[in-house]
């Protein structure tokens, strides 16, 4: 493969947060954009997103350097966030599959 692309399946945990130090916090349009941002960061293993849109239409996106399995004591119910954890290991796939995946996210 010329340009391998990372792929992972994320599981959404509604109204939960992993309360650990963040790699970064950014504003994104959707939770799917946050998950894609995590996927493109080698240090990211999970993400928290705001459960509600801000006045400008964005949601907050926190990229996290660990997951709920390695920091289970920090995984908590929280009304204002959703947490996304990786379900399976990262694999490399063809770019044509990613195009189909991105189209599905629109």
């Amino acid at each position: 493969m010329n340009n391998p692309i990372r792929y992972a399946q994320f599981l959404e945990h509604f109204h939960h947060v992993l309360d650990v130090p963040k790699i970064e916090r950014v504003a994104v349009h959707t939770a799917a954009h946050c998950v894609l941002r995590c996927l493109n960061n080698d240090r990211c293993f999970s993400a928290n997103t705001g459960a509600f849109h801000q006045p400008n239409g964005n949601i907050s996106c926190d990229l996290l350097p660990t997951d709920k399995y390695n920091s289970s004591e920090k995984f908590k119910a929280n009304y204002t966030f959703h947490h996304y954890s990786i379900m399976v290991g990262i694999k490399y796939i063809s770019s044509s599959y990613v195009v189909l995946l991105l189209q599905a996210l629109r």
Side-chain angles (χ1 to χ4, degrees), residues 47-83:
N48 295 325
T49 66
F52 305 102
H53 285 87
Q54 300 166 355
N56 65 4
N58 290 332
I59 58 171
S60 62
C61 168
D62 298 337
L63 304 185
L64 308 175
T66 188
D67 58 35
K68 72 178 197 128
Y69 306 105
N70 290 306
S71 298
S72 58
E73 72 284 356
K74 303 285 187 169
F75 184 65
K76 304 173 183 176
N78 185 298
Y79 180 68
T80 59
F81 284 93
H82 300 314
H83 179 70

Side-chain angles (χ1 to χ4, degrees), residues 7-13 35 38-39 44-47 67-69 83-91:
Y7 167 79
Q9 253 183 308
F10 284 81
L11 181 62
E12 183 176 41
H13 307 276
V35 168
C38 180
L39 195 57
C44 187
F45 288 90
S46 65
D67 58 35
K68 72 178 197 128
Y69 306 105
H83 179 70
Y84 293 83
S85 60
I86 295 176
M87 281 181 55
V88 295
I90 295 173
K91 301 175 184 176

Side-chain angles (χ1 to χ4, degrees), residues 10 14 17 25 27 30 32 53 55 58 63 72-73 96 98 100 104:
F10 284 81
F14 289 107
V17 67
R25 172 174 273 184
T30 66
H53 285 87
N58 290 332
L63 304 185
S72 58
E73 72 284 356
S96 60
V98 170
L100 294 174

Side-chain angles (χ1 to χ4, degrees), residues 21-37:
K22 302 162 191 59
I23 297 169
E24 72 174 338
R25 172 174 273 184
V26 295
V28 295
H29 295 295
T30 66
H33 288 111
C34 183
V35 168
L36 287 172
R37 193 172 183 101

